[in-house]
């Protein structure tokens, strides 16, 4: 692919979009909170950016959190964008062009509890959507006799454990690898995996102590950089493409869309086409809203208005006539394209969503 198109637009690498899945109580929310919290406590201004419905962790911050495991010079992807709502319901509703909206997934499995019904469901979804994923073998700190090493890479934490503790953890990890194999996935501890497209990497970690989180971030960055770089090439100045996360009523704005934008740019006053319960909605962007840092939930001014946003990002769009818009539906900026063509595109995607919902019955 060339670096510039005929209109002279530069290709830019966007942030890979990461989703977290797994059985209830296995630690999805805690893991996301820990990644956000650790990034913030690295103390750098701009360590993370809280988006609507997503958290962006820039490469610099990933590298600070991962220490020697991520050398920023080895990467040209700008970081990772985590979707804030974990779980496979949001994963299955969030699609883009027929595939999953997330480029990559983390399947969280409680290392003591092992595979559970929703773990199997999640695996099935990941397989159907062809989404690359890694397994986070979570809660390693609950291993009897564990000597916690907060925030350390897994190798360092292993070295600090007694023989018995290590053996107990290994037994649990091999059970998970066995379970994956029973489901037809060839898997191994991540440091033994050569090719992440053929084998699933298992990352032992603790969402509470942060042990192994450096490893998880390194694996996510490495996998994205090595196998998905081409998919991350976008024309950042092009007409925006996104997926509706949620339709929300906001005081002063009426119905608004929380959107994950995976391609291009959206600007104020632009015409957009949005998937709705009764077909495509054609409307105009009134305002683009970003969360205000540290805003109090009850104060009215929870958002900052911006003139435009670019992929990959989470954002809130205020526009008239959004009452029928649906979570999971496509959002398209029309710009210099033919309106009917864009409407047809949105219609085609909506048909895909309906077929899928029917399949899941
Ligand atoms: P979710 O339903 O998958 O989002 O699970 P949560 O994140 O709500 O976690 C369920 C429970 O497990 C909570 O009480 C967490 O504090 C606890 N938990 C999650 N991760 C860990 C971990 O790594 N170690 C320990 N000891 N507890 C954890």
């Amino acid at each position: 692919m060339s670096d510039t198109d005929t209109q002279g637009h530069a290709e830019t690498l966007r942030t890979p979009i990461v989703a977290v899945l797994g059985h209830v109580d296995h630690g999805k929310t805690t893991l996301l909170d820990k990644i956000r919290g650790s990034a913030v406590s690295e103390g750098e201004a701009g360590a993370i950016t809280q988006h609507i419905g997503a958290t962006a962790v820039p490469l610099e911050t990933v590298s600070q959190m991962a220490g020697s495991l991520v050398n920023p010079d080895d990467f040209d992807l700008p970081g990772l964008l985590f979707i804030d709502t974990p779980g496979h319901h949001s994963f299955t509703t969030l699609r883009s062009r027929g595939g999953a909206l997330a480029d990559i997934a983390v399947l969280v499995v409680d290392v003591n509890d092992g595979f559970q019904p929703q773990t199997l469901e999640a695996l099935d979804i990941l397989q159907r959507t062809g989404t690359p994923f890694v397994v986070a073998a979570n809660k390693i700190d609950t291993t009897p006799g564990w000597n916690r090493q907060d925030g350390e890479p897994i190798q360092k934490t292993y070295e600090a454990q007694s023989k018995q503790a290590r053996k107990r953890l290994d037994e649990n990890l091999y059970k998970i690898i066995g379970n994956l194999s029973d489901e037809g996935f060839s898997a191994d501890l991540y440091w033994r995996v050569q090719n992440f497209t053929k084998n699933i990497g298992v990352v032992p970690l603790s969402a509470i102590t942060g042990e192994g989180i450096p490893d998880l971030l390194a694996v996510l960055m490495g996998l994205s950089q090595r196998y998905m770089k081409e998919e991350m090439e976008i024309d950042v100045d092009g007409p925006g493409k996104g997926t509706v996360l949620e339709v929300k009523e906001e005081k002063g704005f009426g119905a608004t869309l929380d959107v994950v934008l995976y391609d291009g740019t959206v600007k104020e006053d632009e015409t957009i086409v949005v998937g709705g319960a009764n077909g495509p909605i054609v409307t105009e962007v009134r305002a683009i809203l970003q969360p205000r840092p540290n805003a109090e939930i009850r104060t009215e001014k929870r958002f900052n208005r911006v003139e435009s946003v670019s992929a990959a990002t989470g954002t809130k769009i205020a526009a008239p006539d959004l009452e029928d818009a649906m979570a999971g539906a496509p959002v398209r900026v029309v710009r210099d394209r033919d309106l009917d063509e864009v409407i047809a595109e949105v219609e085609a995607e909506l048909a895909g969503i309906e077929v899928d919902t029917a399949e899941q019955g």
Side-chain angles (χ1 to χ4, degrees), residues 21-33 86 108 110 138-142 205-210:
L21 305 181
H23 192 73
V24 62
D25 283 346
H26 279 196
K28 300 177 291 295
T29 312
T30 312
L31 178 63
L32 279 164
D33 286 348
V108 179
D110 180 327
N138 189 31
K139 308 197 189 184
I140 60 169
D141 62 295
T142 60
L205 58 79
S206 165
I208 294 279
T209 67

Side-chain angles (χ1 to χ4, degrees), residues 193-253:
V193 173
Q194 302 277 350
N195 183 336
F196 281 89
T197 58
K198 293 207 177 100
N199 296 296
I200 307 298
V202 175
V203 184
L205 58 79
S206 165
I208 294 279
T209 67
E211 292 161 278
I213 288 185
D215 307 67
L216 177 69
L217 295 170
V219 171
L220 291 173
M221 279 308 295
L223 218 163
S224 314
Q225 175 83 23
R226 272 191 80 177
Y227 304 105
M228 299 190 303
K229 202 173 140 182
E230 277 181 22
E231 294 162 47
M232 299 302 119
E233 281 174 356
I234 59 164
D235 171 10
V236 75
D237 299 321
K241 293 180 181 171
T243 302
V244 178
L245 276 177
E246 247 186 284
V247 185
K248 273 192 199 157
E249 201 65 37
E250 295 291 350
K251 221 174 165 183
F253 293 103

